[in-house]
């Protein structure tokens, strides 16, 4: 991967997307931003497995590629560096960033370890009154697990079934379901 972009635009996008990354000791890749250079854009991706964000930045790409780099380290570097044009190059598992006056090398994580961000299958939307949404959440929240040991059951699952909105929660001992028209 080798490209040039405007440092201020990348700095703004990294500061926005870096908020999604988190500190997860068991999955350090979740603290990373995936940089993916395509023909004319640099795609930035971040996820904490609950929320996923993708942003594209038009750039001058010389060589395609992708790298996962720590969001906090990248953000800190971009906050302190001077210059207008930022040159980014991936060599092995090191990402080189350089402006006219500054440069650094950041160790990368394997890009293949970065989780895929799911896409929605359809773009259907609906409106619901806030008191109905709160009623559905309040009806099932007590059954959601409060432990981080099983993060997949520490949430409330909300989905549509026909013309109903269904709220479901469990902690593997209790199961709660609420259906709203």
């Amino acid at each position: 991967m080798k490209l040039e972009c405007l440092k201020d635009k990348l700095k703004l996008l990294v500061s926005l997307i870096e908020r999604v990354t988190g500190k997860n000791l068991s999955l350090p890749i979740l603290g990373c931003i995936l940089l993916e250079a395509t023909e004319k854009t640099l795609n930035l991706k971040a996820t904490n497995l609950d929320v996923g964000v993708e942003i594209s930045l038009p750039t001058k790409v010389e060589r395609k590629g992708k790298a996962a780099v720590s969001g906090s380290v990248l953000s800190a570097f971009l906050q302190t560096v001077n210059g207008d044009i930022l040159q980014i190059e991936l060599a092995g598992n090191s990402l080189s960033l350089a402006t006219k006056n500054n440069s650094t090398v950041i160790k990368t994580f394997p890009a293949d370890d970065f989780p895929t961000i799911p896409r929605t299958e359809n773009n259907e939307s609906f409106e619901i009154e806030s008191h109905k949404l709160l009623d559905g959440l309040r009806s099932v929240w007590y059954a959601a697990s409060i432990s981080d040991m099983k993060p997949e059951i520490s949430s409330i699952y909300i989905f549509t079934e026909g013309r109903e909105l269904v709220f479901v929660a469990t902690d593997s001992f209790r199961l709660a379901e609420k259906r709203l028209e």
Side-chain angles (χ1 to χ4, degrees):
M1 174 170 69
K2 186 173 182 180
L3 60 99
E4 285 185 359
C5 65
L6 295 173
K7 188 231 15 151
D8 289 335
K9 291 205 182 237
L10 182 62
K11 176 180 155 183
L12 173 66
L13 296 180
V14 167
S15 69
L16 292 173
I17 202 168
E18 193 252 339
R19 296 176 188 173
V20 174
T21 64
K23 293 185 179 183
N24 188 326
L25 297 177
S26 60
L27 291 171
I29 194 75
L30 296 180
C32 293
I33 296 173
L34 182 67
L35 305 173
E36 187 173 8
T38 59
E39 293 181 16
K40 294 182 181 181
T41 61
L42 176 63
N43 298 315
L44 292 87
K45 299 178 184 181
T47 184
N48 61 9
L49 298 181
D50 289 328
V51 177
V53 178
E54 293 183 30
I55 302 176
S56 295
L57 175 67
T59 58
K60 179 182 173 187
V61 177
E62 292 181 34
R63 192 172 61 239
K64 298 178 190 178
K66 60 184 176 179
V69 64
S70 170
S72 58
V73 173
L74 181 60
S75 180
F77 174 74
L78 293 173
Q79 295 293 331
T80 59
V81 70
N82 295 324
D84 293 333
I85 304 294
L86 179 66
Q87 297 175 340
I88 301 173
E89 184 172 6
L90 179 65
N93 61 351
S94 298
L95 189 69
S96 172
L97 297 109
T99 64
K100 185 177 178 182
N101 302 322
N102 306 92
S103 67
T104 191
V105 175
I106 301 173
K107 181 180 175 267
T108 63
F109 290 79
D112 295 336
D113 290 351
F114 195 83
T116 58
I117 298 175
R119 300 260 182 225
T120 56
E121 295 169 5
N122 55 23
N123 292 327
E124 293 181 27
S125 64
F126 62 90
E127 292 184 18
I128 184 171
E129 296 174 20
S130 60
H131 69 87
K132 287 184 179 181
L133 179 65
L134 289 173
D135 180 43
L137 293 171
R138 286 182 183 138
S139 297
V140 299
W141 71 268
Y142 68 89
S145 175
I146 58 172
S147 171
D148 288 337
M149 297 301 287
K150 294 183 180 178
E152 65 274 8
I153 62 172
S154 64
S155 306
I156 297 174
Y157 180 47
I158 304 171
F159 64 97
T160 58
E161 191 173 83
R163 296 204 33 88
E164 290 183 320
L165 188 61
V166 183
F167 299 80
V168 180
T170 186
D171 61 1
S172 75
F173 296 106
R174 298 175 287 192
L175 176 64
E177 179 182 296
K178 174 74 174 183
R179 292 175 176 265
L180 298 175
E181 280 288 322

